[in-house]
Amino acid sequence: MTTLYHNLQTFFRGDTGHFSWRHFLREHIFSSWWFAPWLLLLLYITVRVVAGQFAASPVVTAVVLIAWALTVMVTAVSNVLHRHTPLTFWLSNNLYNSITSAFISLLIVLLLIAGVRGFFGWAFVRASFVPDAEVAAQTLSQWEDPGANWGAVVDNFRNLMVFRFPREQDWRLWLLVLWNVLLLIPSTFVFSREVYRRSRVRRVLALLWVFTPVLAYLLLVGIGDGGPLPRLNPDTVWGGLLLTLIIAVFGIIASFPLGLLLALGRRSKIMGVPGWLTWLVVLPLTIYLVATRTVPGLREASGPGQILISLLPLLLPVAAYLFLRYFHGNVVALLSTIYIETVRGVPLITVLFMSIILFPIFLPPQMEVLSTWRVLAAVTFFAAAYLAENVRGGLQSIPKGQFEAADALGLGTARKYRLIVLPQALRAVIPAIVGQFIGLFKDTTLVETVGLIEFLGVANLISAQPDWLGVRREPYVFIAIVYFIGNFLMASYSRRLERQLGVGER
Amino acid sequence: MEQTHIPDHTHKHSHAGKTDDIIICRDVHKWYGEFEALKGVSMTVKRGEVVVIIGPSGSGKSTFIRTINRLEEHQEGEIIVDGITLSHDIRNIAEIRREVGMVFQQFNLFPHLTVLENVMLAPIHVRKWDRDHAHERAMHWLNRVGIPEQADKYPGQLSGGQQQRVAIARTLCMEPHILMFDEPTSALDPEMIKEVLDVMRDLAVSGYTILAVTHEMGFARTVADRVIFMDGGYIVEENTPDDFFANPKSERTKLFLSQILSH
Amino acid sequence: MTDLTPQAPNRRESVPFWRDIRVLGVLAQIAFLIVVISGLAWVARNVTQNMSTLGGSQFLCRDGSSSVRCAFDFLQLDAQFAISESLIPYDPSDSYGRALLVGALNTIKVSSLGIVLATVLGTLTGIARLSSNWLISSVARWYVDIIRNTPLLLQLFFLFFAVILAFPPIREANQLFGLPIFLSQRGIDLPRIVMMPSFMTWLIFLVVGAALAAAVWWWLGRRERETERDANRPLWALLALLIVAVPGWFFASATAADTQGFLAPESSGITEFADVPEVVRAQLGLENLNELDAALDAGTVTQEQVDEATVTFCAVENSPPLTNMAAELNRANVPWAVERSRTPAAASADFAAGECQLLVSSRTALAGEQAALADVLPSTLIPLRELPVRLSVPRIEGLNFVGGIKLSPNFAAILIGLTVYTGAFIAEIVRAGIQSVAKGQSEAARALGLSESQRLRLVVLPQALRVIIPPLTSQYLNLTKNSSLAIAVGYPDLWSTAFTTLNQSGRAIQVFLIAMGTYLMFSLLISSFLNWYNRRVALVER
């Protein structure tokens, strides 16, 4: 205790030269010209906020202020004495690192408390949870500033989840969920342990996973009119979170083959079409088109637009030149690149509208395709371009030596990729693909704009129901929470995976 | 080509009250939270003296020299460099950093600048030289450390030894009076250590005040005027190199020397 | 000796062409090409078939014939739909082409503003993420996590329907932090800087001040080289600028004073500006006009009395004198109203008819007016104080805010939505970029004596930018593409106008080509910048 007393004495009296207020002010406050004004501004803001919060909720603010002042003092003394408890050590490193930091911490705590109070007041205190609209209205009317009307979400819970899926067919969804859970649980450790590397369990599980899409189709769509699995019309019965999940999962899985081919295509180094052959085709074609289109077109043209269209055939040789110059005659790389860059260059919403408006024009007149299928196709085509770029990133991360070793062993192109390159590349891109899935899961909300009622679409319908007219915030908040939990879990999983891949095995 | 450049301290920056002691440390304490890294270190370095600090890892020797140019803040005690007391005042800190050059274990060259730009950066922006003068001095120092031909390359294109020599040139170009080396050879391959030590030896005989943390006992034995042994945040022993290595006084020093010299 | 050198084969070994790797490659590609082309041909045939069943209107020419040549002729037809906001003059009788241009410009507007704001927000948040204060970094992390993990469309809907449209009606508009920023159902109203005629006078001072600052900069630079000491050039240059600009401000204000003014009828007894608040004060029976709000609350003054005492003046709409007068009256806390007219003549007529108490205009115009009205309405010409720059503050008049800048609810929703969403992604990029710069770099910079700002500017930032710019550019790309979600909140961007055009004209293929082509062009512009930059800053490694 004598040391403590001695130290405190030097702290306040400064007689040993360790501490003096003049010294302190000169070194900490006036050491640079901007610090004092900044501190004053911060003090002003703090006082304003404290006063405001004090008026709103005196007790809480007073408690926070006292706690703050006490901890700041204790931390300051601990710092001077270099004697820390775990708490003061944490505080001095994280909340009270400097004079300004201490004030900012107080500010943030006060504002956070105000925000959390506001939200809790709205979400719980002044809220109604009854799915009965009339009771809810009564409950809410007792408040001057009524809070959340969660009844709308409770009442529409089924709509939000599956929308119009027939109730008597619910068992199909439960079965599908059960199937996936049953497969997922053993998979998590069978696929992560080296013990099972060559085991039969692993192969069986893989086979069952491959069978899952078939099962999903049987359960979600069904076959035949009678029988145990009557056929359902996706356009009318799929909706809500169900539709969102279908689109996102289908999109990422179905885009995989196309994305892989596009990635390989863009990187392909096969011997290109020679220049003479290209020109042999392009030049006569250009001459023919100029003769039949450009010349009569220019003669009849009225207005610059028409002239431009008539001149289009002249671009053909330019395109051929660029093709030979930048792609060395490699048609596969050219077309893959054009596809990838075009799709990545336009917004998803235009691709979705294209599926609704243009696909019918592109297909034979007698062929009618449900809009759900068209949207699924559009999402797939869209996701494939992004997936291709992710896979390409993975391919680029494979050292050149791996390719050379495979070539030297005489494996041949197909086996080189199948046995050596792709296993490594795909492992490396799993985190990126999880990231893409998160993006796709979020982007699925856009199908609402083309008239499919997915998760967010149901929320917008709720506010139009006579019972819950204008109730928007509550379903939005609910959806945001669902998305946040799902994506946050996936993102943390992906980060963990990234660390694992980064550390070992490679 | 000038081969020896002896910094002219006496005329340029002489002001009243300056003694022959260029670095004075009195009872320097440094805490990381509750852990006390420096437990009252006192020492003085004279003008033109070469002092080598050795000690086991975690003994506080790096921390100590980093407090001298304020890369680490000391909480108690007094540090006076060339008559300037080190405090929180940014002007004092800037002043001291101009006096004191530092060479790091990991070179810390700026990868986005060429070798020449690395050397010229601080003279232009801190010493406010014009470009031509800075260029001329930079080339002089690159010559001095023996790699003028690498001036337009990027640090990433050089070997470790070359990078460390560039780092030394970068420090010298600021014309400091004091040079501090923080384990300058620890990150180097054995065959490159010699080229860096040669440069350091050359600087030591040119009259610089040098404070070096190093494990190169050969350097300490042949070049140093004084060897300081630190352990556990204290200065355990200081002596001339001959005495230090021949008959160490403290048990800890003996133990350390036997460990380091036995292999 | 010569026997041992291997002989070059005198003829190349002939490989049957079906085993020649080159021929196989070409053949495979031709086969691939044939598959692709026949697929396209199938689509083309379906399109023509569908066209004939849909009717040939797609390619209708002006002379009534039908030809692919005329595919884009519809762009010259009248659009016949209204667009709620536009950067260029537009009305429904303009063509589809112009409507699409309006949309494209709106997309550029919201994207470029969004890019700037998101960069600022993202950079600040990214730095906050690295703060040593645990609360600051946690708040920043929560913002980033919540925004990144929820869909943008949901955020836009929430912002538009549940926040902006839920703002109070215009009469009870929220004022943000006591600043002249108003939030209401009609959108967001911000103050706007207006340059007065005397700004030109002040500009001369600014130029001279800048020249002086440059001279000081240069002179101090020479001194720095002599003394080898930092001379704090920014501070002195700023002072040099201020030492000219501040007197210049008052000079411009003083010399301009007689270019603007107002007419007050002699009967009103107003002979200088200070009389105006005095008259109102006397009428309301207050000690000081600053007490007006308090008196209204206390009930000592009724709203009717205030309405009665309100000063009405006539002025030409959007004219500098109006802004000037409004600012002066606001300063004096005088309740006021304005009769806006299109032309000076109309304003004078209103004044002569007694619809307002004061006529505000330029002094030359007022002098003429004073002479013309000498018999009917004898009046005094009073000069009006003018400042080179005035703030035009939004103010409720009738059912709308007048003055300042107005952000419509739709525009505010898409702009704020895009900014907040992209800002979260940029924050992560900035954080990673700053963290990528090794700690030793900062230590070396400090040890060399560089100041904190020099360290950031010369050492940390160039290295961090190298890591930041590529992903940042792709975020800019995403923001531009995501601006197409504007259709969900009713902002007329490119896709929104394109979709309306499509519905009205029925030219599906052409409209898709135009819209997607334009987006593609934006994307290519941004990504070609990225490639250029990457090549410029690529780090040279051993």
Side-chain angles (χ1 to χ4, degrees), chain A residues 62-76 96 106:
Chain A
V63 168
V64 169
L65 263 181
I66 292 168
W68 178 78
L70 276 179
T71 46
V72 165
M73 249 153 54
V74 170
T75 311
Y96 308 142
L106 174 66

Side-chain angles (χ1 to χ4, degrees), chain B residues 79-93:
Chain B
I79 296 177
I80 302 168
V81 179
D82 209 5
I84 308 157
T85 307
L86 180 62
S87 70
H88 289 279
D89 191 334
I90 49 171
R91 263 181 242 149
N92 280 3
I93 296 171

Side-chain angles (χ1 to χ4, degrees), chain C residues 395-462:
Chain C
R395 181 167 183 274
I396 300 171
E397 273 177 32
L399 294 173
N400 253 318
F401 273 101
V402 180
I405 304 173
K406 181 166 215 59
L407 308 183
S408 70
N410 316 318
F411 179 71
I414 186 76
L415 181 66
I416 297 173
L418 288 176
T419 303
V420 169
Y421 188 74
T422 315
F425 285 85
I426 292 178
E428 282 301 278
I429 293 168
V430 169
R431 179 184 64 90
I434 295 176
Q435 277 182 334
S436 75
V437 181
K439 207 173 136 228
Q441 294 289 310
S442 289
E443 288 193 344
R446 288 207 185 96
L448 283 169
L450 295 179
S451 71
E452 290 301 284
S453 72
Q454 284 172 335
R455 174 177 69 86
L456 287 176
R457 193 159 44 89
L458 301 169
V459 176
V460 177
L461 216 55

Side-chain angles (χ1 to χ4, degrees), chain A residues 133-154:
Chain A
E134 278 177 33
V135 179
Q138 251 174 8
T139 320
L140 291 175
S141 65
Q142 62 176 311
W143 302 99
E144 194 182 325
D145 175 22
N149 198 348
W150 295 112
V153 175
V154 179

Side-chain angles (χ1 to χ4, degrees), chain C residues 292-315:
Chain C
L292 180 56
D293 286 339
L296 261 174
D297 286 342
T300 47
V301 173
T302 62
Q303 186 63 44
E304 286 73 40
Q305 281 176 295
V306 175
D307 292 344
E308 182 71 19
T310 296
V311 174
T312 321
F313 63 89
C314 291

Side-chain angles (χ1 to χ4, degrees), chain B residues 66 71 95 97-98 104 108-112 125-130 154 156-159 170 174, chain C residues 224-225 228-230 440-441 443-444 446-450 454 458-459 462-463 466 539-542:
Chain B
R66 286 155 63 88
L71 289 183
E95 204 60 32
R97 284 177 180 167
R98 291 157 65 106
F104 296 88
N108 292 343
L109 292 178
F110 305 130
H112 61 299
H125 289 281
V126 180
R127 282 229 181 267
K128 308 291 179 186
W129 292 350
D130 60 47
Y154 283 88
Q157 295 168 296
L158 306 184
S159 73
R170 180 175 72 174
M174 279 292 285
Chain C
E224 279 186 344
R225 281 196 286 282
E228 301 198 351
R229 285 288 181 279
D230 191 89
Q441 294 289 310
E443 288 193 344
R446 288 207 185 96
L448 283 169
L450 295 179
Q454 284 172 335
L458 301 169
V459 176
Q463 295 184 56
R466 203 190 295 275
L539 204 58
V540 184
E541 292 287 352
R542 190 172 149 90

Side-chain angles (χ1 to χ4, degrees), chain C residues 57 96 211 223 302 394 457 516:
Chain C
S57 65
Y96 282 125
R223 254 190 59 136
T302 62
R457 193 159 44 89
M516 293 174 110

